[in-house]
Amino acid sequence: MIRKLISRVLGRKSAGEPAEIPHSKHGIRRDAISSGSWRTVETLQEKGYKAFVVGGAVRDLLAGIKPKDFDVATNATPEQVRQCFRRSRIIGRRFQIVHVMMGQETIEVTTFRGHHGQQDSHRAQTDEQGRVLRDNVFGSQKEDAARRDFTVNALYYDPVAETVVDYHHGLADLKQKTLRMIGDPATRYREDPVRMLRAVRLAAKLDFSIETGTRQPIGELAELIENVPPSRLFDEMLKLLTSGHAVKCLQRLRAEGLHRGVLPLLDVILEQPLGERFVTLALENTDRRVHEGKPISPGFLFATLLWHEVLGRWEGLKAGGARPIPALFQAMDDVLDVQAEKLAITRRVAGDIKDIWALQPRFEQRSGKRPYGLLEQPRFKAGLDFLLMRVQSGEVPDELGQWWGAFLAADGEGRAAMLLPQKPDEKKKRRRRKRKPAATHDDAHDEAPE
Ligand code: ATP
Ligand code: MG
């Protein structure tokens, strides 16, 4: 009710018609959008098409957040868009979009997309759970607005006319800091379960509450996340974890019961006190880096999320009589295999994760040449940061972290003086290996992981 009232005040004409909100009421400054998106909209309009800045950028501008990128929506077809810009190309298979290159910027231009579900001829192809498999129909601007997820994501900003076009009371929701699904929330989650994750991520990012009707079906439908293709889940998870609000997002995911579908072992991890402390530290660290504009390594991040799984599995294997280092490698593979089914962790990221894990036992070896060898490892810095987080979480003694800090800071003589004496059995093993270079596979691993 209140939002309808706000909408009326803001300039809605009549039911079904979008409100055209003037600058005096929305307050977006023309120069707040990038020059590339401005020029793209202007050019399309000069050629007689409709064109707007849409989606997250308009939402963020209205919420006082600096947008990450500026997307444009238009009634021109991809081919027509391409003809308007010399430096542009059509991309995408499922739904074609055009990348328009403007100086350093690349603007994503999307043709209004059709509404599905009302007429059989327009009905999108879905799976048994109602997940949309294909929907590649062009449509009107009204249809385009209806197929977006949340009301605050369905706002169109025309920088030439300086108006905001609002079909779903989005501006009113924005002013009330509310995330509200367009249409029937349960149906929309069934069409695309990723929308549940988006709800959580956007609510955390914007500090909005999720409207009751939008929130209510999530718990019940959470398991549908399992039907989402792993590569899409990985992208979405990465977006969530690197949003700068990862701690808040994970707390909300947990509150909504969504963490199980995404990282099947996350609930187990979070229920072990040390695991929870470690994951929280890692995410706080990531959030801090995002706010400082520093890069985030997905490998490091996933290595932290899964570490306590590895530890648990490793302990189990060792208790069963396996040698420590082969057992660690086995535990690493087991944990990554389980995750790979749900979350397509790319091969490169999986490699990074394993590198960081495999370095951990080597930090305990502080005699002879070994610490020097570790310093030379390309992933030494990441491995040390990881170790320091383990120290901070109480998993390994402070003394180990302090030793490495001091070792790094010391000069040549200082370092030599810090080395711990070799254990007698260590000396023996080394001599034996020198005489017998063709060690078995297991023996080689027993030394230390490469
Ligand atoms: P951000 O870029 O801050 O992560 P965003 O809302 O801009 O958030 P994008 O993935 O860039 O997210 O999507 C751009 C727009 O496309 C959204 O604002 C929304 O209107 C629409 N959209 C994106 N994903 C979906 C979806 N799963 N279902 C419906 N509409 C979507
Ligand atoms: Mg966006």
Side-chain angles (χ1 to χ4, degrees), residues 78-79 90-98 109-111 136 138:
E79 194 48 49
I90 297 181
I91 60 152
R93 277 161 282 151
R94 182 169 133 163
F95 192 87
Q96 289 190 329
I97 58 173
V98 185
V109 183
T110 313
T111 304
N136 45 4
F138 297 141

Side-chain angles (χ1 to χ4, degrees), residues 27-48:
I28 297 178
R29 285 186 18 220
R30 250 185 203 156
D31 60 5
I33 69 164
S34 67
S35 66
S37 58
W38 162 263
R39 268 153 58 211
T40 305
V41 168
E42 195 184 30
T43 307
L44 284 164
Q45 291 193 3
E46 276 168 10
K47 303 273 180 186

